[in-house]
Amino acid sequence: MAEYKGVMTYCEIAEGSLPSISREVAGFGRKLADDLGEELCAVLVGSDVGNLAQDAIGLGADTVYVVDDPLLKEYQTDAYLSVMEKVVRKMMPRILILGQTSVGRDLAPMLAFRLDTTATLDCVGLAIDPGTKLLLQTKPVFGGNAQATFTSDFCPQIVTVRDKLMPPPEPDASKQGEVITLDAGLDPAAIRASLLKRVTENEGGVRLEDASIIVSGGRGIGSAEGFDQLQELAALLKGAVGASRPACDNRWLAPNRQVGITGKIVNPDLYIAIALSGSIQHLSGCAQSKSIIAINKDPEAPIFNYADFGVVGDWKKVLPAFRDKLKELLPG
Amino acid sequence: MRIIVCIKQVPDPQASSSGTKVDPEAMRVIVPQGTPPVMSPYDENALEAAIRIKDAHGARVTVISAGRNLAKPVLRKSLASGADELVLLEDAAFEKLDSYATAHLLVAAIREIGEYDLILCGRQAADTDAGQVGSGIAEILKIPCITAASKVELSDGKVLVERVVSDGFEVIEAPMPALVTASSEIGDLRYPKLKDLQAAQKMPITVRGAQALGIDAAGLKRVNLVRLAEPPRRKTECRIIGGETPEEAGANLALKVKEAKLL
Ligand SMILES: Cc1cc2nc3c(=O)[nH]c(=O)nc-3n(C[C@H](O)[C@H](O)[C@H](O)COP(=O)(O)OP(=O)(O)OC[C@H]3O[C@@H](n4cnc5c(N)ncnc54)[C@H](O)[C@@H]3O)c2cc1C
């Protein structure tokens, strides 16, 4: 174990820049590296991504490893897995942190098993145990009904962190660091599963994860047409529409509208929860909203234990009146 | 065509969504009394995907479940739903295994079965929420892995999968054998007919213990649980807004929202 050293972050890239989650991961990485008194390095994997190395340094990395190859233009499990396996075997970080994103969820466990160890996904707390120097990996279990803290004696200790846990660090443009380019050396035989196409489902408007107001509906909405009414309210408030899992499973909305532990983590200023019961798995994804309003016909629905304001009633009657009154009250 | 589906037994997550407590001393989660054991929901989605492939192309579907004190009537529901064979890995040593040990244990059983074209698992279990066993099995067996599938089909001897990603979905093709982890968009497990449920209770099943498998599962653990705590809860006092009619309550809510400057 002695030969493993330092903290490594996997810097996910989205649309040619470092998304918020990568900056948050950098913040966690810097803190842990400082606590260990060791270096922080960042890994950038993609095509034409070298220009982002300085950004990663500004966010705290001492060293940035860039793996640049046209074959890495889009995330593909086998290619990225093979690259990350090489980078980790070569650099031997004590800790590797990824974001709990579609990529992190896919890549982290496979990489861990390839390196003959295991990972902890969806961490909400990371700290160094002052005695053992091991990484304390805290994650919700039982849908969020409990929080477990794990350690592992095997290196690298691999984790993904949930997004929106803390604000990303302010970039420091004057920070110095080293940029090292590594060869992807991809063996075509290593790529078994192939990506045939990627389809973006964005109904326009504000992205759920960026919205400051979210109007979310559940099973009780009952149909795609029902969600049109939520869409209308969201448009009025310049917010986004979200949903519980059953609403997405029924295809009343696209799956990427799902809020919760297996959907998206959101923290808007206002979360309006309509005809959803407030299961722990759903609340884990939205309980950090500044304010929550609930409309539900069942006075015993758990969502009322988390809401600031609530109306007990049929949403089909409550919502239109709520919307019309808001229209009256809102400027413009 | 041979399909293996790995299914975990968990306390019903719907019945234990609220009222679940933590015993920090014993580092144990205590689900409300009377919470029934069920097949973990995403594993049910995996089974549904397997049975659909069986319906379309013909296949032999084997379900494997590992644990301690397994509720056989619950797991036999897989047979009633259309699985052909149920293999239980049951041993006192198979309790509280981590993802690493569980994946190795399941691989030991899969290797005993020997032949497989497709392995299906749920994307994450409803109790540990770990999300790793499927990926682990694939890596140990050195077969391709596609996670979070919303659709699984066969085409020209390959598996064709749609998988959910944050801004939409991807279509992925892989040669078999392959492993796919299922997401809920696949659809709920079909409801078995009463007569199939009754017949399933009488079907023979295979039970294997640690010794028979020649595996020291507990010795394979890679992580230690060092603390279990109640989660921080959002503290609120919900103010219920009323009115003579639901419409009036809705309008009053708008007034309140404005007054509290939530917008
Ligand atoms: C491992 C795992 C992961 C999961 N991940 C997620 C996740 O990420 N996100 C998620 O949302 N779920 C997730 N779930 C599912 C979760 O457990 C719940 O099943 C789900 O959130 C319930 O959705 P719901 O509240 O819409 O439905 P229900 O619980 O059925 O609630 C419907 C509500 O609508 C109300 N209602 C019905 N009609 C009306 C009406 N006319 N007017 C007013 N109110 C009405 C009812 O009173 C009820 O409270 C997960 C489950 C598991 C096991």
Side-chain angles (χ1 to χ4, degrees):
Chain A
M1 170 145 184
E3 64 266 52
Y4 286 93
K5 222 172 161 192
V7 178
M8 176 182 277
T9 60
Y10 174 79
C11 242
E12 212 172 311
I13 299 160
E15 285 150 23
S17 64
L18 300 185
S20 179
I21 182 65
S22 296
R23 292 181 275 130
E24 292 161 32
V25 165
F28 276 100
R30 186 68 260 171
K31 166 97 182 40
L32 295 174
D34 289 344
D35 289 350
L36 284 164
E38 294 180 2
E39 292 221 322
L40 175 68
C41 68
V43 185
L44 286 168
V45 181
S47 172
D48 274 332
V49 293
N51 58 318
L52 296 174
Q54 192 52 47
D55 289 358
I57 291 169
L59 291 165
D62 302 302
T63 310
V64 179
Y65 299 105
V66 179
V67 188
D68 210 306
D69 191 305
L71 286 176
L72 298 169
K73 189 163 170 45
E74 285 193 278
Y75 176 77
Q76 292 211 58
T77 308
D78 288 334
Y80 275 57
L81 185 56
S82 139
V83 164
M84 283 306 291
E85 179 193 0
K86 249 179 245 162
V87 173
V88 172
R89 285 197 197 279
K90 194 164 167 158
M91 302 310 156
M92 297 179 73
R94 188 193 292 276
I95 293 170
L96 171 64
I97 314 174
L98 303 87
Q100 172 76 349
T101 58
S102 306
V103 170
R105 283 173 170 158
D106 189 61
L107 185 58
M110 272 185 259
L111 181 61
F113 274 87
R114 186 157 291 189
L115 298 165
D116 201 33
T117 183
T118 183
T120 301
L121 304 197
D122 200 20
C123 289
V124 294
L126 293 177
I128 301 295
D129 183 306
T132 60
K133 298 271 180 242
L134 289 177
L135 179 63
L136 297 166
Q137 315 165 5
T138 301
K139 77 164 265 124
V141 293
F142 283 80
N145 268 316
Q147 283 195 352
T149 302
F150 297 104
T151 60
S152 178
D153 301 324
F154 296 81
C155 280
Q157 302 160 84
I158 301 177
V159 292
T160 67
V161 288
R162 188 174 277 198
D163 57 348
K164 301 192 167 70
L165 291 171
M166 58 176 200
E170 285 299 321
D172 172 2
S174 67
K175 188 171 179 303
Q176 307 274 307
E178 195 180 357
V179 180
I180 297 172
T181 306
L182 299 174
D183 185 21
L186 277 174
D187 170 7
I191 301 173
R192 304 160 297 182
S194 41
L195 176 68
L196 301 187
K197 82 179 165 189
R198 170 170 284 140
V199 180
T200 312
E201 290 182 298
N202 269 337
E203 289 106 61
V206 195
R207 286 191 340 151
L208 192 54
E209 44 277 61
D210 305 331
S212 56
I213 295 176
I214 294 176
V215 182
S216 216
R219 199 197 305 268
I221 299 298
S223 66
E225 293 70 46
F227 267 94
D228 290 344
Q229 294 195 45
L230 275 66
Q231 203 89 50
E232 208 184 309
L233 177 61
L236 175 72
L237 302 176
K238 299 186 179 57
V241 175
S244 69
R245 198 179 74 182
C248 295
D249 287 350
N250 282 309
R251 271 289 174 172
W252 302 334
L253 275 190
N256 63 349
R257 293 276 150 181
Q258 182 183 320
V259 172
I261 53 166
T262 47
K264 288 186 173 156
I265 306 297
V266 297
N267 63 352
D269 293 335
L270 180 60
Y271 191 80
I272 307 178
I274 307 174
L276 60 82
S277 62
S279 69
I280 188 73
Q281 292 89 358
H282 185 81
L283 283 163
S284 287
C286 64
Q288 53 286 13
S289 306
K290 224 171 266 160
S291 305
I292 297 179
I293 293 177
I295 299 173
N296 196 303
K297 68 176 185 190
D298 174 10
E300 302 299 322
I303 187 70
F304 288 120
N305 299 329
Y306 291 79
D308 303 282
F309 295 102
V311 170
V312 179
D314 184 347
W315 72 270
K316 289 186 190 122
K317 299 199 171 109
V318 178
L319 183 63
F322 175 59
R323 182 201 54 218
D324 291 346
K325 192 74 189 174
L326 278 180
K327 241 188 225 162
E328 235 178 85
L329 295 170
L330 288 175
Chain B
M1 182 75 195
R2 178 128 195 190
I3 306 177
I4 295 175
V5 186
C6 301
I7 295 186
K8 184 179 191 181
Q9 176 189 309
V10 299
D12 185 351
Q14 304 310 334
S16 56
S17 179
S18 52
T20 291
K21 302 226 155 40
V22 175
D23 177 351
E25 233 95 290
M27 292 203 289
R28 240 165 43 92
V29 172
I30 302 158
V31 297
Q33 227 181 6
T35 302
V38 295
M39 295 192 256
S40 189
Y42 289 116
D43 301 352
E44 286 204 352
N45 301 128
L47 178 58
E48 176 61 26
I51 298 168
R52 283 187 204 165
I53 293 172
K54 175 180 168 172
D55 288 347
H57 305 273
R60 182 167 175 80
V61 178
T62 302
V63 170
I64 307 180
S65 186
R68 163 177 206 191
N69 294 334
L70 294 173
K72 297 187 182 65
V74 171
L75 294 163
R76 278 175 184 273
K77 192 178 126 193
S78 64
L79 296 169
S81 304
D84 300 287
E85 191 184 13
L86 176 60
V87 179
L88 301 183
L89 315 179
E90 196 171 31
D91 201 297
F94 296 166
E95 197 182 20
K96 294 196 173 166
L97 297 180
D98 65 8
S99 305
Y100 184 87
T102 306
H104 279 274
L105 173 59
L106 291 167
V107 164
I110 291 167
R111 286 194 169 131
E112 271 199 350
I113 292 168
E115 267 173 72
Y116 52 87
D117 301 288
L118 193 58
I119 303 175
L120 288 157
C121 298
R123 62 183 283 185
Q124 85 186 41
D127 52 358
T128 51
D129 287 316
Q132 299 193 64
V133 165
S135 313
I137 292 172
E139 272 300 310
I140 299 167
L141 293 172
K142 297 193 166 50
I143 59 175
C145 177
I146 305 166
T147 59
S150 51
K151 198 170 181 186
V152 189
E153 283 173 350
L154 301 186
S155 124
D156 293 336
K158 292 186 169 177
V159 60
L160 193 65
V161 177
E162 283 183 20
R163 65 182 295 262
V164 186
V165 294
S166 64
D167 61 353
F169 65 95
E170 294 176 346
V171 183
I172 301 208
E173 185 187 71
M176 293 192 281
L179 187 143
V180 177
T181 75
S183 190
S184 54
E185 292 82 3
I186 281 179
D188 290 343
L189 178 61
R190 61 198 59 198
Y191 209 81
K193 296 195 192 79
L194 188 62
K195 78 166 186 7
D196 292 334
L197 270 171
Q198 285 163 343
Q201 297 304 331
K202 297 192 197 81
M203 280 169 74
I205 57 176
T206 309
V207 184
R208 312 278 284 145
Q211 235 174 3
L213 286 162
I215 188 165
D216 169 23
L220 280 169
K221 278 167 81 161
R222 282 281 193 271
V223 295
N224 318 304
L225 176 66
V226 295
R227 194 175 118 93
L228 194 73
E230 292 274 354
R233 303 255 185 207
R234 184 188 164 84
K235 290 247 178 317
T236 54
E237 193 70 57
C238 183
R239 291 191 46 197
I240 298 292
I241 311 297
E244 292 290 315
T245 60
E247 289 82 1
E248 199 183 302
N252 287 342
L253 179 64
L255 288 167
K256 206 76 216 167
V257 162
K258 167 96 180 169
E259 183 193 306
K261 297 200 169 58
L262 298 189
L263 288 173

